[in-house]
């Protein structure tokens, strides 16, 4: 799924005329929050998810490893569909509350932040089958606390408690324990500790970077209005001029800014096409190549070079300046000569 | 076994003297698209290496992709191949193709546009 998204070089030619602009899909409020009205699915597979996340794989694996849990897990992707449109801040906030609550909230994180922790969960489930002794205990606890239906779900949580064992160094993680620890277990310990101690790091790899989908309207027959450019720029922390010049260079057109920060682009463009260009822009100029975080800043360094400073990992790299290439003469020649 | 010190190569020479040649490889080939009236488009291929004969390439491309095209002489960009229609994917494959293409490195090609 991501492979096709990452290479937006080939737009679907068949759909050229049949695509409907769903401009009402997203409502942007004054304070920057974005609410979804309809067609959540369309937005899900188009606008967001630049960082490679693996929900489909996870789902597939889930189905293989534990078919009983499918209904439980299905909730989280559905929730995520909504989450995608929400602001990044919101997610962070929830992360922070978890952090404050500490260990107790770790269980909640497993359920709430479904997408981020999915690899973890999977491993836990796999591991479960290996370690039977703890599992029995866990099952007993679960049985005490919940009915039969909840047993499966609850079985996850004692695994989180087991990570406490990891910290204390008891059980298989004991200091004088000579039994080799399996890779799965070690990996699991690493991720569970990471998510406990430093939730930001744990989620940075798989967290999606979210921008609202571009709103495209047709002005007349030959122009396209890009409605929410200021909003997107604010979200990306880039100047509008930079984004605009990139858009124009990449689309091979020109345009102007209308009132209220709208961008008028010459030529007919669909939302999907502009999305592809924006995606390229984000890959090129927003995300940090080292840690893939989008928390970066574009600065003009010395001698006309632009640098991206990552606030997350502190790396700094230079990016190429935006260059418009050769543009062929389009339109009537006579007009060019006289005008 | 030879004695390292007797070699003509100076290990303490400035390193960046040697790298001057290899740095020129940053010449990208840009494949762009432009919209014309209606749903017509143009594809431009800019920055082809000089060792290739553009005329011959154009002839092959025209036949292969069933499109017309021309070579435009631009003052800045040099000779640019201009093709009718959206041939970006075709051109890219042609440039990379080992059997009947130009065997270029895919990393040197940049495809622009939507």
């Amino acid at each position: 799924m991501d492979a096709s998204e990452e290479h937006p070089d080939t737009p679907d030619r068949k759909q050229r005329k049949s695509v409907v602009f769903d401009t009402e899909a997203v409502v942007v409020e004054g304070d920057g929050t974005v609410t979804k009205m309809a067609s959540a699915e369309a937005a899900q597979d188009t606008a967001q998810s630049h960082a490679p996340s693996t929900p489909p794989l996870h789902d597939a694996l889930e189905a293989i490893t534990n078919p009983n849990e499918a209904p439980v897990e299905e909730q989280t992707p559905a929730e995520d569909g909504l989450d995608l449109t929400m602001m990044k801040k919101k997610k962070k906030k929830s992360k922070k509350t978890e952090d404050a609550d500490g260990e107790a909230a770790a269980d909640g994180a497993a359920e709430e932040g479904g997408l981020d922790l999915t690899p973890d969960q999977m491993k836990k489930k796999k591991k479960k089958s290996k370690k039977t002794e703890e599992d029995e205990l866990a099952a007993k606890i679960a049985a005490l606390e919940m009915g039969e239906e909840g047993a499966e779900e609850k079985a996850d949580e004692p695994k989180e408690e087991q990570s406490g064992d990891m910290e204390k160094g008891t059980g298989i993680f004991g200091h004088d324990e000579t039994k080799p620890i399996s890779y799965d277990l070690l990996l699991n310990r690493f991720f569970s500790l990471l998510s406990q101690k430093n939730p930001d790091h744990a989620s940075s790899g798989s967290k999606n970077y979210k921008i609202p989908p571009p709103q495209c309207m047709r002005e007349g027959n030959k122009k396209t209005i890009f409605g929410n450019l200021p909003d997107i720029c604010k979200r990306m922390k880039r100047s509008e001029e930079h984004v605009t010049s990139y858009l124009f260079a990449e689309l091979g057109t020109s345009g102007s800014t209308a009132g209220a920060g709208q961008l008028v682009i010459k030529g007919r463009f669909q939302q999907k096409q502009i999305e592809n260009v924006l995606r390229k822009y984000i890959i090129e100029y927003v995300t940090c190549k080292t840690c893939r975080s989008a928390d970066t800043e574009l600065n003009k360094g010395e001698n006309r070079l632009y640098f991206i400073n990552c606030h997350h990992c502190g790396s700094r790299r230079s990016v190429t300046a935006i260059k418009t290439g050769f543009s062929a003469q389009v339109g009537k020649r006579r007009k060019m000569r006289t005008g | 076994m030879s004695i390292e010190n007797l070699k003509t190569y100076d290990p303490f020479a400035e390193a960046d003297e040697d790298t001057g040649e290899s740095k020129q490889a940053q010449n990208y080939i840009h494949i762009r698209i432009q919209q014309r009236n209606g749903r017509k488009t143009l594809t431009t291929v800019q920055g082809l290496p000089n060792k290739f004969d553009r005329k011959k390439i154009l002839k092959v491309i025209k036949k292969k992709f069933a499109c017309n095209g021309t070579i435009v002489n631009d003052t800045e960009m040099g000779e640019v191949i201009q093709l009718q229609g959206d041939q970006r994917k075709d051109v890219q494959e042609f440039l990379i193709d080992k059997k009947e293409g130009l065997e270029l490195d895919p990393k040197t090609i940049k495809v622009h546009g939507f």
Side-chain angles (χ1 to χ4, degrees):
Chain A
M1 151 208 153
D2 274 297
S4 62
E5 278 187 18
E6 297 279 336
H7 298 282
D9 301 334
T10 56
D12 205 346
R13 281 176 226 177
K14 285 175 197 164
Q15 290 187 347
R16 200 164 265 178
K17 279 201 168 165
S18 61
V19 169
V20 183
F21 296 146
D22 45 352
T23 49
E24 285 145 305
V26 173
V27 174
V28 184
E29 281 160 29
D31 56 335
T33 49
V34 182
T35 46
K36 198 97 215 170
M37 299 303 281
S39 71
E41 262 188 32
Q44 198 174 358
D45 66 345
T46 49
Q48 291 92 4
S49 73
H50 293 287
S53 67
T54 57
L57 176 75
H58 150 247
D59 280 346
L61 262 171
E62 196 77 52
I64 294 163
T65 50
N66 223 336
N68 297 340
E69 281 213 2
V72 181
E73 283 301 308
E74 259 170 25
Q75 276 182 357
T76 44
E79 212 177 78
D80 252 290
L82 279 175
D83 245 43
L84 280 171
T85 54
M86 268 197 252
M87 278 183 68
K88 231 170 95 193
K89 271 186 217 156
K90 256 186 189 169
K91 208 146 197 203
K92 261 191 186 159
K93 212 191 277 169
S94 69
K95 273 273 140 55
K96 261 174 201 156
T97 51
E98 281 161 31
D99 201 16
D101 286 3
E103 225 178 82
D107 297 346
E111 285 172 14
E112 201 179 277
L115 189 65
D116 296 343
L117 292 171
T118 39
D120 254 38
Q121 270 182 329
M122 260 157 39
K123 263 156 224 150
K124 265 167 223 154
K125 265 156 217 158
K126 271 187 197 161
K127 184 190 70 179
K128 216 188 338 183
S129 57
K130 279 173 198 160
K131 301 194 72 190
T132 46
E133 338 151 15
E134 268 108 340
D135 207 59
E136 277 176 23
L137 229 168
K140 271 176 197 166
I141 297 166
L144 279 175
E145 283 181 11
M146 291 193 86
E148 235 196 21
E149 184 62 37
E152 285 272 346
E153 193 191 356
K154 209 68 191 174
D156 279 350
E157 300 186 12
K159 288 297 153 204
E160 290 288 335
E161 283 169 18
Q162 200 217 327
S163 69
D165 279 4
M166 294 164 183
E167 283 170 45
K168 284 174 215 151
T170 54
I172 198 163
F173 296 111
H175 184 62
D176 47 356
E177 180 68 55
T178 51
K179 221 193 283 176
I181 307 171
S182 74
Y183 179 71
D184 275 358
L185 267 178
L186 284 171
L187 195 66
N188 185 42
R189 172 169 68 160
F190 167 72
F191 274 109
S192 57
L193 286 182
L194 188 66
S195 61
Q196 254 178 42
K197 302 252 158 82
N198 220 335
D200 280 347
H201 274 287
S203 59
S204 70
S206 60
K207 198 197 281 173
N208 290 354
Y209 181 57
K210 292 162 204 85
I211 54 160
Q215 289 175 311
C216 283
M217 289 157 281
R218 195 65 84 58
E219 187 189 78
N221 206 17
K222 287 188 172 173
K223 283 176 188 167
T224 312
I225 296 181
F226 184 0
N228 53 351
L229 182 75
D231 188 44
I232 289 176
C233 290
K234 222 197 305 169
R235 200 67 58 83
M236 295 193 297
K237 297 192 205 96
R238 293 291 175 273
S239 70
E240 278 174 43
E241 293 89 61
H242 194 253
V243 180
T244 317
S245 62
Y246 182 81
L247 275 175
F248 287 158
E250 204 65 357
L251 296 171
T253 53
S254 56
S256 58
T257 41
Q262 287 177 331
L263 184 69
V264 181
I265 308 170
K266 265 189 195 168
R268 296 182 198 173
F269 298 100
Q270 279 149 16
Q271 192 192 4
K272 211 169 189 180
Q273 296 172 322
I274 291 189
E275 250 171 47
N276 281 334
V277 179
L278 275 178
R279 191 166 290 143
K280 274 191 202 169
Y281 178 86
I282 287 168
I283 290 167
E284 182 92 32
Y285 290 102
V286 180
T287 49
C288 169
K289 282 277 193 299
T290 321
C291 65
R292 293 213 309 253
S293 124
D295 187 16
T296 56
E297 199 181 4
L298 186 72
N299 285 326
K300 203 173 197 175
E302 60 274 20
N303 53 24
R304 273 197 266 161
L305 286 172
Y306 279 97
F307 286 95
I308 286 184
N309 285 343
C310 181
H311 293 307
H312 206 269
C313 65
S315 80
R316 181 176 144 96
R317 78 181 169 100
S318 69
V319 288
T320 52
I322 296 168
K323 246 194 211 163
T324 49
F326 168 77
S327 71
Q329 171 203 342
V330 177
K332 286 181 183 135
R333 278 161 214 226
R334 203 185 291 160
K335 213 185 248 173
M336 297 287 287
R337 215 170 285 166
T338 52
Chain B
M1 205 183 122
S2 63
I3 301 166
E4 288 292 316
N5 288 356
L6 295 182
K7 281 182 181 170
T8 50
Y9 166 70
D10 180 16
F12 297 104
E14 286 297 317
D16 42 0
E17 279 177 21
D18 301 330
T19 54
E21 287 171 33
S22 58
K23 266 191 179 169
Q24 284 189 342
Q26 284 291 314
N27 284 331
Y28 287 110
I29 298 167
H30 298 277
I31 302 175
R32 289 198 173 78
I33 191 167
Q34 259 183 297
Q35 282 197 336
R36 285 180 56 216
N37 40 2
R39 49 183 296 182
K40 293 173 184 169
T41 46
L42 277 180
T43 309
T44 56
V45 183
Q46 172 200 321
L48 276 175
N50 282 326
K51 61 180 176 182
F52 296 115
D53 186 353
R54 274 136 238 261
K55 260 190 179 170
K56 278 184 182 166
I57 288 174
L58 184 68
K59 211 162 203 176
V60 175
I61 282 180
K62 275 162 78 168
K63 187 122 188 171
K64 204 170 183 182
F65 307 148
C67 67
N68 208 346
T70 175
I71 297 168
V72 181
N73 236 328
D74 194 76
T75 46
E76 283 172 48
M77 321 291 179
E79 288 180 319
V80 179
I81 292 183
Q82 186 176 315
L83 301 166
Q84 286 181 5
D86 184 0
Q87 313 285 351
R88 284 176 296 164
K89 190 129 196 250
D90 296 328
V91 170
Q92 195 194 15
E93 275 165 11
F94 174 77
L95 294 180
I96 297 168
D97 198 356
K98 290 229 161 67
K99 266 184 194 157
E100 39 202 49
L102 300 183
E103 298 180 40
L104 289 166
D105 188 7
K107 283 172 201 155
T108 61
I109 301 171
K110 277 195 172 174
V111 181
H112 299 266
F114 34 80

